[in-house]
Amino acid sequence: MRKLHKSLQAGVLFAAGALGLTQGAAKADEIVIGASLPLSGPLAGFGSFQQWGYKHAVDEVNKAGGIAIGGKKEMVKLIIRDDQTNPNLTASNTQTLLSRDHVVAMLGSCTPALVNAGALVAERAKKPIVTGCDPLQVFTSVRKWKYAWDIFFSVPDLTVAPFKMLAAAGVTTNKKLAIWHDNGPDGQANGKKLWPAFAKKFGYTVVQNAEFPINNAQFTSIISEAKAKGADVVLVDAVTPPAVAIRKQMASEGYKPKVLDIEKGAEPVQFAQALGKLADGVLVGGYWDPTFPYPGAAKLAKDFEAETKLTSSQHIADSYAAAQILLDAIAAAGSTDADKINAAIAKTNKTYVVGPIKFAADHTATLPIVSEQWQGGKTVIVWPKKAATGKLLFPMP
Amino acid sequence: MPDFGTVASAILSGLLLGGMMGLIALGLSIVLGVMRLVNLAHGVFLVMGAYAGLYFLKLTGFDPLLALPLLALGIAALALPLYRYLLAPLAQRGPEAQLMTMFAVAIILQNLFVFVFSADTRSIERSYATLPLSLGAITVPLIYVIGFAIAVALILAIHGLIAHTGFGRDLRASAADPAAAATLGVNVQRVQMLTFALGTACAGVGGVLIGVAFQFSPSSGGAYLLNSLAIVVLGGLGNVPGTLAGGMILGLLQSLGGLTLGDGYRDIVGMALFLLVLVFRPEGFLAARRA
Amino acid sequence: MRLHRLSGDMGILAGAFVLLWFAPSFASDYALQISFRVMIYLTLAESWNLLTGSVGLVSLGTASFVGLGSYVAFGLANHFGAPIPVILVVCALAGAVLAALVSPALFRLRGVYFTVGTLALAALLQLLMVNLPTFGGASGIFLKHDPPPLASLYHDALSVALVASLAMAICARTRISVIIRAVRDDEDAAAQMGVRPYRVKLAAFALASALIAMAGAVQAINLGAIEPYGAFGLQWTIDALSMVIIGGIGWRLGPLAGVLFVVMLGEMLANYPEAHIAITGVILIVLIRFAPGGIVGMFARLFTRSTRLSSP
Amino acid sequence: MNAAAAPLLEVTGLVKRYGGVVAIDHVDLQLWAGTITGVIGPNGAGKSTLIGMIGGAVTPSAGHIRLGGRDISRLPASERARAGIGRTYQIPRPFLDMTVAENLEVAQYSMAPLIGAGPARSARIELLQLTGLLDVAGVPARALPLLKRKRLEVARALALKPRVLLLDEVGAGLIDSEITELITLIQAVADASVAIIIVEHVLRVVRACCARSMVLNFGKKLIEGPTAEILAHDEVASVYLGTGGARQSAPAAPKDEAAPPPRDPGSLSQLIAPRSSAASRPPLLELQGICAGYGQARVLKGIDLQVHEGEAIAILGANGAGKTTLARTITGAINPTAGTLRIAGNDAAGRPAHDIAGLGIAHCMEGRRIFPTLSVRDNLLVAARRVDRATAQQRLAAVYELFPILAERAAQGGTSLSGGQQQMLAIGRALMARPRLVIFDEVSLGLAPIIMDRLYEALATLKAAGMTLVIIEQDVDRALALADKVYVLEHGIFGLAGDPRDIADDPRLRHIYIGTAD
């Protein structure tokens, strides 16, 4: 009995001590912002790009002397926690950053599940959060936001892009369309609703609509069915690992449609690195490229490549821009008061590295979509014409 | 309704892929049989094998499938210190301690892979990995056939090793009654160490095959671990030919499930089948064939 | 004598409960956040310790019931506007019912087969939720109304944890413990003595599942959004298991010690996000190797009298 | 016994098949309250299967079991227990981490969950008193020696307040004085409301307790009647004891098992290591002040022992005296906590078991420990280490010559053999290492007398061929007949040592080993 009592006491003391240790002692003259990112787990790839984008924006501001709060320049401190690609952890990380580190605002995680989990916590705590990496329609479907802001592409823009691109290029196909999509949130939205609707509008016949688990590796039956049905155009929504498997197995099944568009999965450079020549001709929608005519676009990619010795990705741009928007808003507010910052974010009207940003009433800012195509290990913008950096390779080799 | 060619191709590729899965599961099975350890790091060892194959190709330019014996030896050699310094000291402590230790090894290695190789999806790029093999209306990827052949050859070799050699006898004796085996002069720790290395090598070789046929990233291991567990149960613990058959049955049924219910239900069919077998034949579907 | 010990436990629990109940009025938001997390994990860990440490059923199915609780809670809140106490009661029932439904299949399995069976159950439920559009598919479901404030959620979590601890105290300190240990030690011999092992295991499984489902419900309401990968994620299972092993499996205070240790460790390492998981892994290996009975086992060796529920 | 009254337990046409093997073949049995019935028969006759079917651990293939008129044939074990059937296990299965009292609580609380703590306690005390366990009520069952574990088995069964009590081999493994105690206990337990079945090899128990008995052979009821008549019956003697001229007429045991060992020990040289030639050689095995135990429990408290080449040593002692611990310490299964252990002059203390086997010590383990997943042949070959294929084959041939039945069953699974055959396999396996010394640990335990004879003949043959033997036995007579020197273990030390003839006559043996004369 006494032992039990002692142990309980010891436990409470231990807990109290540990809590004391972990209380982050924020310096008085610092502006603390926080982010929870997937630095491990399946989305670790995205997380590392975002981490660089966030840090880069903060570093630049600090190099320039910080932000003036009430007339006094203060440095910005960015605290990043790993959520291991687990929404439960994104939520608890955000809670901790708000309550322990007293961050004045948050930057978002990546993909709807993680972003929404963090945003809901921030919203309840009435602290602003600026994020990318969450398709706008998914973001707005959660609730009417007061403190969360999203800069990303609009889902219909992305899904319609292949159709518009094909129409603009004036190429002929048999108008038979195969749709393959994973059963994740965007896969289901694109594959089940949006693509079939646009196909009808643009005069395509959907000859196959196949759904597969997010991390599927085996696509031979899907592929051979599309092949048997003679689809010239294949639209795919999948993350990178299955995207690589799909492209490989299409080749090994001897299936060569004229057009292959793989959303999400074909976007990172690892897709092309994993596939080599097979990547050539694969189309993917994008929302940013270093060639975009926006201030700092080319430099951002150059800085990333110089610093990390890795190939850049569009994910450095929306994260960098999201952080800049937040930092600009803090500067504009001249205060660390959440509501003042939030009001300043709402007033954002400036051209960032991703293009002109002005938030709509539903707290979203839309990034324009381009169609890109892998050609010789690099992406070339093939649509729309005003952004194009190369010619469409048709049919796919 | 899909046509004959689609169905036949799906069935055949399911069987072939199942054979490769059988090899991966065999590694899990022998470690489970001899050490009573569900090796939670098995999937991560598979990923390690895939990276080994990738960097072997990058550094030497030689085809990793031709160098499989070398790669297998290398990966087995990495398993030895893990056994010696992490598992052996826990031998007397029941299965949970070793289980949790291997879980910890798995998360450490996975983290290490992210750190060293980045979280990118990789693939071992070989030209033959994307060639089709057609037989009338049936088309399967050539790499499936190659992978299947390698997997079956290795499974048969391991079967021969376990059923017909002195080491295999020691292995079976250690699995059945380690204390009695030790008293008869069997160095049980050495047998366990070699078994662990062999199991790890199976995962590693499977990883090279997966790397060539599909793709991988640091977090790919989990799905293969779960699949392997299903196959081990399906084939019966410690039943080497059963493991091959179990893998092929699972591959076949997943293909059929995908064809009939839609591919979204592939894994569900596998899991449901796995549970059914567990419930009705917990000793394994094919356990009756066990010697 | 045993009842005497039970009343002692009850006293401590009641005291701790009352003390902790008023925490929101003096503790910081951060302390409250951490306490909330501790309460949720404590419920999972106590339940896992009951199943594995006491009854000997090594389960890897914790996530099944966390997910079940999450989805049932959202259904009740969104469609019926049910208040939280009602949600908790229904979730507990749902957990017990699911346990009862799957137990005829799972209890045919012994040893490692039971373990992989529970693992497969969690995987199957997750895959089903991903593929069934009725439950929101892979996108999941959002809570229609704002969740209650933290202090209120904290009280819910505290109450669930109290129920879990009370149940465990009863299981450990009354004559029930003798029956439970008999089933764990030798099921056949227990049956020969009139114990109905199936019922005992079912009762423990249903109780643990009900508690886990309640914890899942509170956690889901706290999140405000659920989807299958997070709600049925293997991470829940691994967390519960590693916390109990670190704390000391089979020990009465093992779950509490493990939860406190892991939560604190996570907080301390959070500032090193890149290495966080790897360091956790190293600490796990070292603890397993050098503290076989977990933290509590280590401390118990320093005392002569032990509060051991039963040996592992 | 009132034959007119309905029987308390009625078994009709009971059958149990395992695959193609019929373990119990249409057995009928009737029990009345207040009676004690003995069931005897050779190993493998199906005695334990019968008990298992009545107790509910084994499901019958056909037939019915009625308790007080109610058909219980398909009920699970727990429901049978609740209906009033209590059983003990041949090898006690107490809940090891519970105290003796808690072991009884399991039965009490499962039968009556709401029983008051006071009444439960007094009922427990009464039971503990009856079974002589009161002084160890608070001791964990793990710490109990075999006799007390057997008593605990009986106490647990009685805590159910059974109407039928099944006692499975309660005498096995006990020494004479302990058996006397058990008989007293059984007689104390018997009362007018309980029907008791005793399955037993130890005929003394049956003779003393059972008015009626039945004999099982090959799953069939051979004969049933008053115990004295049964035991006097010729056929029973031939079946069970393997004695007398009836041997040819009855299938006492398969012929091959009973065949005498080869008279020519020539081939045995394959299995026995040659003696070293050095004149002043050290003892083959030498122990000085060896202490060992498990955790806190010290079992061996300073053992000195020397075994020279060609000697046959017998180590005797009651259960719990430390015999098997001594064997395990010599073979490296546990490490001594103090003392020196030398094998042919090499320090061997603390070396792993496989190293000690490499030094030429073989251990024929208690409980046989046959590998079930290995064939008979592979079971043997495991022990032939670091030899080429031809040598292994020669040794195999020599073992087959010693035990021809093993050659016939070479390809079968190791545990598909009968108990006696498995013991032969265990002996053969120990010899396959061509050891310098073999420790035989309780080779005769649980075997029918005829098989015991056969095994001891084999040991005698080995001794004659020059093998060094350490025999650990409870059976005093057999061990004394074979050994050159005898050591008697008592409470972890040798209480007595010397020439077998002297020991046999030594009054101290009676004191140490059998207990006081009364």
Side-chain angles (χ1 to χ4, degrees), chain A residues 66-88:
Chain A
I67 296 176
I69 299 293
K72 191 171 147 253
K73 285 262 182 184
E74 292 187 6
M75 289 293 161
V76 180
K77 184 180 172 193
L78 169 66
I79 304 177
I80 291 174
R81 291 175 68 125
D82 177 18
D83 60 34
Q84 302 169 29
T85 319
N86 179 347
N88 295 297

Side-chain angles (χ1 to χ4, degrees), chain B residues 162-166 168-191 290-291, chain D residues 331 333 353-355 357-358 361-363 365 369-375 377-379 381-386 389 429-430 433:
Chain B
I162 292 177
H164 302 296
T165 66
R169 208 158 44 224
D170 291 355
L171 184 150
R172 284 178 288 147
S174 306
D177 186 343
T183 303
L184 293 171
V186 179
N187 186 341
V188 175
Q189 277 223 346
R190 190 172 150 270
V191 169
R290 192 164 159 183
Chain D
T331 57
H354 62 89
D355 260 14
I361 306 291
H363 185 194
M365 278 164 280
R369 306 290 280 270
I370 302 300
F371 302 114
T373 47
L374 268 63
S375 67
R377 201 181 116 91
D378 277 351
N379 259 289
L381 284 174
V382 166
R385 311 210 57 87
R386 291 192 204 87
R389 187 176 285 263
R429 193 174 62 177

Side-chain angles (χ1 to χ4, degrees), chain A residues 159 162-163 175-183 186-200 204-212 219 221-223 225-227 229-238 246 250 255 257 259-263, chain B residues 263-264:
Chain A
T159 40
F163 296 104
K175 293 257 175 179
K176 285 185 180 173
L177 173 66
I179 298 172
W180 308 337
H181 63 92
D182 67 28
N183 55 14
D186 8 330
Q188 289 182 344
N190 291 350
K192 278 190 178 153
K193 290 179 205 143
L194 294 167
W195 273 338
F198 284 124
K200 208 170 163 193
Y204 287 79
T205 323
V206 179
V207 294
Q208 184 196 14
N209 191 328
E211 184 173 342
F212 52 84
F219 295 93
S221 53
I222 293 180
I223 292 168
E225 193 192 332
K227 187 184 170 192
K229 292 192 169 149
D232 264 1
V233 181
V234 178
L235 297 181
V236 183
D237 193 307
I246 285 173
M250 283 174 77
Y255 177 39
V259 178
L260 172 62
D261 179 290
I262 307 181
E263 292 308 335
Chain B
D263 271 274

Side-chain angles (χ1 to χ4, degrees), chain D residues 210-486:
Chain D
C210 308
R212 288 176 67 81
S213 290
M214 65 180 272
V215 180
L216 276 181
N217 195 26
F218 294 113
K220 288 197 170 120
K221 182 155 76 177
L222 191 71
I223 190 168
E224 187 180 1
T227 304
E229 276 175 41
I230 297 260
L231 293 180
H233 204 276
D234 262 0
E235 206 177 347
V236 174
S238 68
V239 164
Y240 188 63
L241 305 170
T243 54
R247 186 177 273 187
Q248 304 95 315
S249 64
K255 235 194 199 147
D256 37 45
E257 274 187 43
R263 289 291 149 223
D264 167 29
S267 67
L268 286 179
S269 62
Q270 294 294 338
L271 304 176
I272 298 171
R275 300 203 184 179
S276 54
S277 50
S280 62
R281 52 182 189 263
L284 190 50
L285 178 67
E286 189 175 16
L287 280 69
Q288 276 175 1
I290 285 287
C291 296
Y294 308 92
Q296 299 294 319
R298 279 181 70 210
V299 180
L300 301 181
K301 298 162 190 167
I303 296 286
D304 299 318
L305 177 69
Q306 285 197 351
V307 183
H308 294 274
E309 283 189 329
E311 276 186 332
I313 300 290
I315 295 173
L316 308 175
N319 283 296
K323 302 194 297 292
T324 292
T325 305
L326 176 57
R328 287 166 58 82
T329 309
I330 296 172
T331 57
I334 53 175
N335 289 332
T337 51
T340 54
L341 169 65
R342 290 177 177 282
I343 293 169
N346 305 304
D347 186 10
R351 288 169 80 163
H354 62 89
D355 260 14
I356 298 211
L359 290 173
I361 306 291
H363 185 194
C364 184
M365 278 164 280
E366 184 185 16
R368 300 156 200 152
R369 306 290 280 270
I370 302 300
F371 302 114
T373 47
L374 268 63
S375 67
V376 168
R377 201 181 116 91
D378 277 351
N379 259 289
L380 292 170
L381 284 174
V382 166
R385 311 210 57 87
R386 291 192 204 87
V387 295
D388 57 37
R389 187 176 285 263
T391 315
Q393 289 302 323
Q394 282 170 357
R395 291 187 192 172
L396 210 51
V399 169
Y400 288 160
E401 197 174 326
L402 189 64
F403 301 118
I405 183 67
L406 297 183
E408 271 175 46
R409 305 277 159 94
Q412 286 187 13
T415 42
S416 72
L417 305 182
S418 73
Q421 291 166 350
Q422 284 190 32
Q423 192 63 63
M424 292 175 194
L425 176 54
I427 294 174
R429 193 174 62 177
L431 298 176
M432 283 297 285
R434 205 188 193 196
R436 304 169 76 171
L437 180 151
V438 190
I439 302 171
F440 292 100
D441 197 350
E442 309 279 13
V443 286
S444 65
L445 192 71
L447 296 180
I450 181 171
I451 307 293
M452 284 195 213
D453 291 342
R454 169 71 188 81
L455 289 175
Y456 265 84
E457 279 175 52
L459 295 193
T461 311
L462 289 172
K463 186 191 169 194
M467 172 76 84
T468 313
L469 308 175
V470 172
I471 298 157
I472 292 176
E473 244 325 337
Q474 308 202 23
D475 192 320
V476 184
D477 294 339
R478 285 181 212 275
L480 289 179
L482 192 66
D484 300 322
K485 208 167 176 191
V486 175

Side-chain angles (χ1 to χ4, degrees), chain B residues 185-231:
Chain B
V186 179
N187 186 341
V188 175
Q189 277 223 346
R190 190 172 150 270
V191 169
Q192 290 197 346
M193 182 167 76
L194 292 175
T195 305
F196 187 68
L198 183 63
T200 306
C202 284
V205 170
V208 179
L209 295 178
I210 295 293
V212 176
F214 302 108
Q215 79 299 317
F216 60 92
S217 72
S219 58
S220 301
Y224 290 102
L225 174 67
L226 212 61
N227 248 326
S228 298
L229 268 176
I231 293 172

Side-chain angles (χ1 to χ4, degrees), chain A residues 130-346:
Chain A
V130 183
T131 188
C133 211
D134 188 0
L136 301 180
Q137 279 69 22
V138 189
F139 175 75
T140 52
S141 73
V142 176
R143 58 171 291 149
K144 190 155 170 30
W145 297 100
K146 278 197 186 120
Y147 291 89
W149 308 86
D150 186 16
I151 52 163
F152 214 48
F153 61 81
S154 142
V155 180
D157 285 0
L158 180 81
T159 40
V160 80
F163 296 104
K164 285 191 171 166
M165 180 272 299
L166 285 175
V171 292
T172 16
T173 63
N174 63 6
K175 293 257 175 179
K176 285 185 180 173
L177 173 66
I179 298 172
W180 308 337
H181 63 92
D182 67 28
N183 55 14
D186 8 330
Q188 289 182 344
N190 291 350
K192 278 190 178 153
K193 290 179 205 143
L194 294 167
W195 273 338
F198 284 124
K200 208 170 163 193
K201 201 170 150 196
F202 282 82
Y204 287 79
T205 323
V206 179
V207 294
Q208 184 196 14
N209 191 328
E211 184 173 342
F212 52 84
I214 280 189
N215 278 312
N216 201 24
Q218 166 50 340
F219 295 93
T220 50
S221 53
I222 293 180
I223 292 168
S224 63
E225 193 192 332
K227 187 184 170 192
K229 292 192 169 149
D232 264 1
V233 181
V234 178
L235 297 181
V236 183
D237 193 307
V239 292
T240 304
V244 171
I246 285 173
R247 184 63 196 100
K248 277 183 140 184
Q249 285 167 34
M250 283 174 77
S252 59
E253 290 266 328
Y255 177 39
K256 281 190 183 171
K258 287 186 174 147
V259 178
L260 172 62
D261 179 290
I262 307 181
E263 292 308 335
K264 287 191 301 206
E267 179 265 314
V269 68
Q270 34 171 303
F271 173 79
Q273 282 169 351
L275 284 169
K277 277 203 189 80
L278 273 183
D280 275 6
V282 176
L283 291 152
V284 61
Y287 56 83
W288 189 76
D289 190 272
T291 63
F292 277 16
Y294 303 124
K299 182 173 176 295
L300 185 69
K302 217 178 281 161
D303 284 352
F304 177 85
E305 284 171 12
E307 249 179 62
T308 63
K309 313 274 180 282
L310 297 170
T311 312
S312 75
S313 147
Q314 57 185 2
H315 293 282
I316 59 172
D318 58 324
S319 51
Y320 175 68
Q324 281 187 324
I325 291 167
L326 176 62
L327 296 169
D328 285 352
I330 297 174
S335 156
T336 51
D337 178 78
D339 285 307
K340 285 183 185 160
I341 296 173
N342 203 45
I345 296 173

